[in-house]
Structure formats: C-alpha cells, structure tokens
Amino acid sequence: MTNLAWPMDERPRERLLAHGAKSLSDAELLAIFLRTGTAGTPVMVLSRFLLQEFSGLRGLLTASRRQFCDVKGLGPAKYAQVQAAMEMARRVMDEPLRQGDPLRSPEDTRRFLTSRLGTYPHEVFAGLFLDNRHRIIQYRELFRGTIDGAAVYPREVVRQALEDNAAAVIFAHNHPSGVAEPSQADISLTKRLKEALGLVDIRVLDHMVIGHGEVISLAERGLM
C-alpha cells in the first residue's frame, strides 16, 4: 500500500504539515522516518509492529545494532539513520552547555545530562567539571557498570577533577530501570565524594539521577 492509498486522515506526513509533529502518534512519527514498509506490510503496520516488538520508541531507538537489524524490514542503512538522528538530537540539546559556557539554568543541565545518559542500557556515572565561575571545563563519563550498578572510586574522581583544574563538579548517573529515585547507596556515595573533593577545595554542587523522563536532584532533595 502506498502513501497515496491511505485515507487522508491517516497520512502521517500530511497530518504533520497540517497540525504539527506533536499531533502525531509514535507510530505515525516512526512511519514518516521509515518512509516505506516491506513487501506485503504497509509502513504504518510495520511501525506499529516495531513499537510493540521493542516496547515503544525508546526501546527501538536504543536497540543494539544486532537487535535492530535482526528485525525484518530493518537493516544497517536504517540503523545508521537512527543513530544519526539520535546524535543530531543530542547535539541540539547540548548547545546550551557548550564547553566554556556558564551554566544558564538547572533545566539546561538536566536536559544535557538526560541527552547523554538517558539512553544507556547499563549504568554510567559522569561528572560535569566546572571552573570557579561555573563555566564548563569538561563533561566526562567516569565509570561504567552493569545494569546492577557502577563501582565509583573517589580517589579517581579527585584525580580527574584536579587534572581538569575544576573548582566545582556536578555528578550524574542513570538508572537503567527507568526509576530515578535515588538509593541509599547513591546518597552515601555523594557524601563520600563531597568529603573527598572538599579536602582539595572542590565543591560538589549536585548529583542528579537520570531515569526515563525524570531527573532527581539530590541537592534539591536536601540529601547532600
């Protein structure tokens, strides 16, 4: 079935142009991205199947190359398209926090960290290293772990902060489960890092936990 064979109110591209991208469902947005279906499978049917197969857009867009390409109708070319689209989105979200810029707002910081950490299937612990005017020196992914957690070594964090000549740091890590609620281990780690960095006069401004669509600040919770 071609796009022209669809009823007018089911043509995603026309609906987007008439009503805006926000008016489209996940399946309709995916259909525009895929452009065509496969032999015997219209693109809207393929889109709905993929969303079910990968449990939604997030699962599809963060699937490994093997998982993605194993599905009939997909392949290396479409996987490359997905990765390029994801990277463009990250770069757009990164623009408010370019290296050398001061932090403009907590919301910019949240968006930046979510774009970096929100799609990993395993836990990653990162630091946003800042100078004494809260301008960004460097974003670094410091430790990676399994879905069960990452081992974080305060001595290595202090070494990296000194190497970057940082005056302050914002920590962040993701919860691959999607639940952003900080654990007792997260709170204890933050206090240990704050104490270790305090010995070399580097301030810990915050520790953010990234979930699926949610970011929790330990500083705002009074947990530091």
Side-chain angles (χ1 to χ4, degrees):
M1 181 183 292
T2 67
N3 185 51
L4 293 177
W6 298 351
M8 178 59 77
D9 62 356
E10 292 184 13
R11 298 182 194 172
R13 189 177 301 134
E14 282 79 359
R15 279 172 44 75
L16 185 150
L17 293 173
H19 306 291
K22 289 184 178 180
S23 68
L24 271 61
S25 66
D26 288 353
E28 288 171 321
L29 289 170
L30 183 58
I32 292 174
F33 180 80
L34 294 173
R35 296 178 57 196
T36 60
T38 58
T41 306
V43 68
M44 278 300 297
V45 175
L46 176 61
S47 297
R48 292 186 182 110
F49 166 77
L50 292 174
L51 292 176
Q52 182 176 8
E53 184 75 6
F54 288 95
S55 301
L57 274 178
R58 179 187 176 83
L60 175 65
L61 297 177
T62 59
S64 69
R65 179 175 178 176
R66 181 189 59 78
Q67 291 171 322
F68 190 93
C69 294
D70 278 352
V71 176
K72 183 181 178 182
L74 304 180
K78 281 194 166 56
Y79 179 77
Q81 282 180 257
V82 166
Q83 294 306 304
M86 292 280 286
E87 183 58 26
M88 284 191 292
R90 286 190 192 100
R91 293 185 187 188
V92 168
M93 295 183 77
D94 288 358
E95 284 181 0
L97 288 178
R98 287 186 291 267
Q99 189 173 15
D101 285 350
L103 294 178
R104 298 175 186 175
S105 72
E107 199 51 47
D108 281 345
T109 307
R110 281 180 162 85
R111 280 195 294 265
F112 174 86
L113 293 170
T114 299
S115 75
R116 292 289 181 165
L117 297 173
T119 59
Y120 284 124
H122 51 271
E123 193 162 317
V124 177
F125 184 89
L128 197 56
F129 295 93
L130 312 170
D131 68 12
N132 57 9
R133 295 175 60 186
H134 294 178
R135 292 176 301 190
I136 297 165
I137 298 171
Q138 193 64 260
Y139 164 81
R140 295 189 184 279
E141 293 181 357
L142 300 166
F143 303 100
R144 295 184 176 218
T146 65
I147 198 168
D148 298 318
V152 177
Y153 303 100
R155 181 173 61 183
E156 288 300 308
V157 175
V158 171
R159 182 193 63 77
Q160 187 62 66
L162 290 171
E163 186 176 303
D164 285 335
N165 197 28
V169 61
I170 294 173
F171 293 116
H173 76 282
N174 64 315
H175 280 179
S177 66
V179 180
E181 193 64 32
S183 65
Q184 189 57 52
D186 296 336
I187 297 167
S188 298
L189 171 64
T190 305
K191 291 178 178 177
R192 281 170 35 223
L193 289 170
K194 187 176 180 180
E195 289 172 3
L197 287 160
L199 295 174
V200 291
D201 204 26
I202 297 173
R203 289 176 298 143
V204 177
L205 302 180
D206 205 345
H207 183 174
M208 296 186 178
V209 184
I210 315 296
H212 295 174
E214 183 182 21
V215 180
I216 290 179
S217 159
L218 270 68
E220 290 179 358
R221 287 275 187 96
L223 298 174
M224 295 179 54

